Amino acid sequence: MEHYYSLNKYLRERFGEKMYKLALDGGFSCPNRDGTLGTGGCIFCSGRGSGDFSVAVGNNISSAIDQAVSLVKHKNSGGWIAYFQNFTGTYAPLERLRELYTAAVNEPRISVLSIGTRPDCLGDEVIELLSELNKIKPIWVELGLQSIHPETAQYIRRGYPLPVFDSAVKRLKNVGIEVIVHMIIGLPGETEKMIYETAEYIGHSGADGIKFQLLHVLEGTDLAEDYKAGRFKALELNEYIELLEGCIRRIPPDMVVHRLTGDGAKSELIAPLWSGNKKMVLNAINQAFDRDMLIQGELL
């Protein structure tokens, strides 16, 4: 039984094969780090902008793709998705974006270009560029929402209000761009009800996909300081799975689930330590889905 609409299923339906993401570092910054909005970044963000496993592109994207493929080719026998992951993937001069994105789209091995960014970093010229390239190969835009709740947004230093997210989704969808939304489960101060409200909101936002992320605490982040000071507790595995199931039950059946959890660099992981064993975590999640007979969208 298929409990949720997985990315693998979607890729096989649309492209006829499984694909693997190649995490690329385009050398981007972030308005939450360069002083435009702030200098510390989001409270949970690592020194590499949540792209701890990515390959630096520089001025040669083909070489970067070669390197990225060599790191993960043992995991994949299908196609490849170029994923600009670090920091804010649309936060650069337009010509630099055009250069990077066009090179990725024209790379024969790449089937999809996916770009991680902020909703407040999608100007009209950027949307127009994405629309142009989307006519060549599919373009996905991943938006870091994390939570719909203003108090949480302020705590994590997200730096933009919810209507900016709503507008970004609408503008991207108007030009045919697929939208994936990032959501963090376990943010300090959030109740079960608040977490489910975020999942429901994303489900009705018009987005095509969702990425669930366990809140994990990494050394060197401001979140780590709050954790060490005892201001919040990290989720236990069973707590995370229960919340994850509740979220999946509240999103539409046709919304693609791009990720069930996430992890950071083990060398920097402070909590929860169980998240460092990704295989164990995914096995536990899938066993729980079978046990609980999970069905995506069943509570809508």
Side-chain angles (χ1 to χ4, degrees):
M1 177 182 179
E2 294 183 340
H3 299 285
Y4 64 98
Y5 191 18
S6 70
L7 176 60
N8 281 342
K9 181 179 181 182
Y10 170 70
L11 290 172
R12 291 184 187 280
E13 288 176 351
R14 181 169 180 186
F15 299 100
E17 62 180 351
K18 184 176 181 178
M19 293 187 188
Y20 197 90
K21 277 189 173 180
L22 301 173
L24 303 173
D25 179 356
F28 302 110
S29 182
C30 175
N32 216 359
R33 284 182 178 267
D34 70 359
T36 302
L37 294 174
T39 56
C42 291
I43 197 169
F44 51 78
C45 193
S46 70
R48 293 200 63 192
S50 298
D52 297 290
F53 309 109
S54 59
V55 173
V57 170
N59 293 316
N60 191 332
I61 199 164
S62 292
S63 177
I65 289 172
D66 286 340
Q67 185 179 346
V69 167
S70 70
L71 294 173
V72 295
K73 62 183 178 182
H74 61 286
K75 300 180 181 180
N76 183 47
S77 57
W80 302 101
I81 299 168
Y83 179 29
F84 285 106
Q85 181 178 19
N86 297 59
F87 296 108
T88 302
T90 58
Y91 193 61
L94 185 67
E95 287 311 306
R96 175 59 173 166
L97 298 179
R98 184 181 298 277
E99 176 188 10
L100 286 173
Y101 298 167
T102 302
V105 165
N106 289 333
E107 166 62 49
R109 291 168 291 181
I110 298 302
S111 299
V112 177
L113 171 60
S114 189
I115 302 162
T117 191
R118 298 168 54 93
D120 56 349
C121 292
L122 287 164
D124 291 341
E125 290 182 329
V126 173
I127 296 278
E128 184 178 347
L129 172 60
L130 298 176
S131 178
E132 291 173 16
L133 295 174
N134 194 48
K135 295 177 174 64
I136 303 171
K137 286 180 183 175
I139 306 296
W140 298 351
V141 171
E142 303 191 17
L143 299 176
L145 176 65
Q146 321 310 355
S147 171
I148 64 167
H149 301 287
E151 58 269 43
T152 303
Q154 182 176 5
Y155 171 72
I156 65 175
R157 303 196 299 254
R158 192 180 65 194
Y160 66 85
L162 189 57
V164 174
F165 166 79
D166 296 330
S167 174
V169 174
K170 182 178 180 180
R171 292 164 62 231
L172 289 165
K173 295 304 299 176
N174 282 344
V175 296
I177 303 292
E178 286 195 35
V179 178
I180 300 111
V181 182
H182 291 222
M183 172 184 174
I184 296 179
I185 296 175
L187 286 163
E190 292 215 333
T191 63
E192 179 182 281
K193 181 176 182 289
M194 293 170 71
I195 291 167
Y196 293 158
E197 285 172 346
T198 293
E200 290 169 348
Y201 194 96
I202 294 170
H204 293 98
S205 68
D208 303 279
I210 188 168
K211 268 189 172 181
F212 295 108
Q213 169 71 51
L214 162 74
L215 180 75
H216 55 264
V217 184
L218 298 179
E219 192 66 70
T221 64
D222 290 341
L223 184 69
E225 298 308 308
D226 281 0
Y227 178 77
K228 292 174 183 177
R231 297 189 180 103
F232 72 95
K233 292 183 179 180
L235 292 174
E236 299 294 340
L237 176 57
N238 64 308
E239 293 176 316
Y240 180 74
I241 293 175
E242 183 177 344
L243 290 167
L244 176 64
E245 287 185 326
C247 290
I248 292 175
R249 289 189 170 107
R250 289 168 169 82
I251 61 173
D254 61 350
M255 174 167 271
V256 181
V257 178
H258 283 245
R259 185 174 64 194
L260 293 172
T261 183
D263 52 1
K266 290 182 182 179
S267 60
E268 299 174 0
L269 180 66
I270 297 174
L273 292 177
W274 55 261
S275 68
N277 188 341
K278 191 171 185 178
K279 184 176 181 181
M280 179 277 292
V281 172
L282 291 175
N283 284 340
I285 289 173
N286 289 319
Q287 288 168 11
F289 287 1
D290 286 337
R291 178 196 68 213
D292 300 332
M293 295 182 288
L294 176 78
I295 299 175
Q296 182 171 333
E298 64 185 315
L299 293 182
L300 292 177

